[in-house]
Amino acid sequence: MKAFFEGIQWLFETIFFALHDFLRQLELTHWFAANIINWGFMIICSVAIVYWCKQLKLHKDEGQEDQDTTAHSFLK
């Protein structure tokens, strides 16, 4: 039974966390390169938020947005 759990340990430490170990070692020498995935997510989220805000303003300017508090039947 001990060999089974050691096999699971080897699988996770060697195979599944190989990218994490690489990024951990890379962080010691190149911080920006180690965080490139985070920078990418921040850029994608920033673009999405700007797009969403522009669409909200567009719908508000066209008067398509229903601001009535009784717009839904459960709010009556």
Side-chain angles (χ1 to χ4, degrees):
M1 194 65 171
K2 181 179 178 183
F4 174 73
F5 289 110
E6 287 176 349
I8 293 174
Q9 174 187 353
W10 176 85
L11 180 69
F12 275 88
E13 288 180 349
T14 308
I15 305 299
F16 293 151
F17 293 141
L19 178 62
H20 296 281
D21 290 337
F22 170 73
L23 290 174
R24 184 181 52 163
Q25 293 299 322
L26 183 63
E27 184 181 18
L28 298 176
T29 56
H30 302 288
W31 178 87
F32 186 81
N35 288 296
I36 195 75
I37 295 171
N38 295 332
W39 287 106
F41 282 136
M42 287 192 295
I43 290 169
I44 290 170
C45 289
S46 298
V47 169
I49 288 171
V50 168
Y51 174 77
W52 181 38
C53 289
K54 288 175 93 173
Q55 289 296 316
L56 285 174
K57 184 174 180 346
L58 178 71
H59 287 291
K60 186 175 181 179
D61 291 343
E62 291 178 358
Q64 292 179 352
E65 190 174 357
D66 190 5
Q67 299 255 337
D68 188 16
T69 56
T70 58
H72 300 285
S73 61
F74 59 86
L75 293 175
K76 291 183 181 178

